[in-house]
Amino acid sequence: MKIVALQLSNTRTQSEIESYIKASIDAKAKVVLLGEYLLNPFFKDLEIKRGQKTRVLERIKIETNKILELSAKYNIIIVAPVFEVIKDKIYKTIFILNKGKALSYRAQRLMPYAHWNEAEFFANTLSKHPKTPPIFNVGGFRFSVVFGYELHFDDFWLKLKGQRVDCVLLPTASTFDSSLRWRSIIKMRAFLNNCYILRANRIGQYQDAPTQTLWSFYGDSLFVSPNGEIMDCLGDREEMLVAEINKKYLQEIRDCWQFSK
């Protein structure tokens, strides 16, 4: 079965994103994954505009509704990180979209760092004991999702291993000089869980106003096998990764290593 990761920047219009969804369908893919901070602005841009909160919330609602509209038009599952607005609060969420209907997953761990403080910005409930992320079936495969930051925590992966998840979809917004570290962690997680991992990392830039530092989101979207090997990857430009997951190969790897036993 084929699945797709879209490596885009948040400057793409709805029509441009729609063209990639059509291309994914033409490639006979059943699932398409988008990166973090693609459909909505990078949250640090919104920190600066807190004095315009009503206007910002309305803008977020409009942007998030666009992907719901696209999902209603096409027969493909779209996995899209979005900002979810409930009353006057903003949540960091992944929508798993099927024909316009959304299964939502709110991030359970958020970055708390001074230069990247999602924990302070978003209203998500953070837990030391996270719940199992949603699991959904497509074409006989068990899929789940985790946010990029959640990749680093064993709790999530133990739960996914216990649920025999076949493929984890990993939307990210990685920047700075972190590509080698991310590759190492993703390969390790795929190998120890004997599952496929498809990572969609965004591209583009963000100018940090206080420090005038330019943050570059470098791409390097990956498809990693249950044996911990990178089977395909993208560069640092706008691209589409088409990957194929295989039930027979997946079972052979699991039988070989027997980690679940």
Side-chain angles (χ1 to χ4, degrees):
M1 189 179 80
K2 292 181 179 178
I3 56 179
V4 164
L6 299 183
Q7 182 170 283
L8 308 173
S9 73
N10 69 349
T11 60
R12 297 301 90 194
T13 64
Q14 184 179 16
S15 62
E16 288 169 324
I17 293 172
E18 184 172 5
S19 70
Y20 277 105
I21 291 172
K22 289 179 181 177
S24 301
I25 293 171
D26 291 342
K28 302 189 184 305
K30 300 296 184 183
V31 180
V32 58
L33 171 67
L34 282 66
E36 286 189 46
Y37 297 115
L38 176 62
L39 300 175
N40 302 110
F42 190 41
F43 81 99
K44 290 185 71 67
D45 282 325
L46 299 182
E47 285 180 329
I48 301 168
K49 300 176 181 177
R50 281 183 172 175
Q52 309 169 30
K53 189 169 185 179
T54 301
R55 186 177 174 183
V56 166
L57 293 178
E58 286 304 314
R59 176 188 170 189
I60 290 172
K61 288 177 184 177
I62 292 169
E63 290 167 340
T64 300
N65 283 337
K66 287 179 180 178
I67 196 66
L68 288 164
E69 293 169 3
L70 283 181
S71 171
K73 290 177 65 175
Y74 297 103
N75 186 25
I76 189 170
I77 293 172
I78 302 172
V79 178
V82 297
F83 291 172
E84 186 182 14
V85 174
I86 306 295
K87 296 184 178 178
D88 62 343
K89 295 182 178 179
I90 304 173
Y91 296 85
K92 189 178 183 184
T93 301
I94 292 175
F95 277 174
I96 301 161
L97 297 161
N98 187 10
K99 298 179 181 178
K101 296 182 180 180
L103 172 64
S104 63
Y105 169 62
R106 291 180 183 170
Q108 301 179 79
R109 298 279 173 85
L110 294 171
M111 282 189 272
Y113 311 119
H115 70 294
W116 192 317
N117 199 336
E118 294 177 328
E120 184 179 273
F121 180 83
F122 293 105
N124 295 54
T125 299
L126 307 182
S127 173
K128 291 183 179 180
H129 305 288
K131 298 177 182 178
T132 304
I135 296 167
F136 57 101
N137 293 286
V138 185
F141 291 90
R142 289 169 65 79
F143 286 84
S144 191
V145 295
V146 294
F147 279 99
Y149 185 58
E150 294 174 340
L151 171 74
H152 300 82
F153 297 92
D154 294 338
D155 318 50
F156 294 93
W157 296 91
L158 290 170
K159 292 178 184 299
L160 297 179
K161 179 184 280 189
Q163 293 294 322
R164 301 276 293 180
V165 168
D166 300 317
C167 182
V168 176
L169 303 173
L170 178 69
T172 65
S174 306
T175 183
F176 308 125
D177 296 319
S178 62
S179 59
L180 293 179
R181 173 165 51 84
W182 276 89
R183 281 184 166 224
S184 296
I185 298 173
I186 293 169
K187 290 192 294 180
M188 178 268 290
R189 292 298 189 193
F191 176 59
L192 294 182
N193 275 49
N194 287 154
C195 68
Y196 290 100
I197 296 180
L198 182 67
R199 174 212 194 181
N201 191 38
R202 62 159 286 187
I203 56 171
Q205 296 180 327
Y206 163 73
Q207 181 78 51
D208 186 52
T211 64
Q212 293 302 302
T213 304
L214 190 65
W215 298 16
S216 294
F217 300 97
Y218 52 74
D220 196 36
S221 298
L222 304 171
F223 177 53
V224 181
S225 79
N227 207 28
E229 300 169 339
I230 295 176
M231 302 180 74
D232 201 356
C233 62
L234 301 181
D236 59 359
R237 298 182 181 181
E238 183 175 310
E239 296 182 77
M240 182 174 92
L241 191 159
V242 181
E244 188 159 359
I245 56 179
N246 183 287
K247 198 76 172 180
K248 182 180 178 182
Y249 172 72
L250 178 66
Q251 193 58 52
E252 286 174 355
I253 295 299
R254 288 175 171 173
D255 289 344
C256 174
W257 291 105
Q258 301 185 45
F259 289 155
S260 62
K261 296 181 181 180

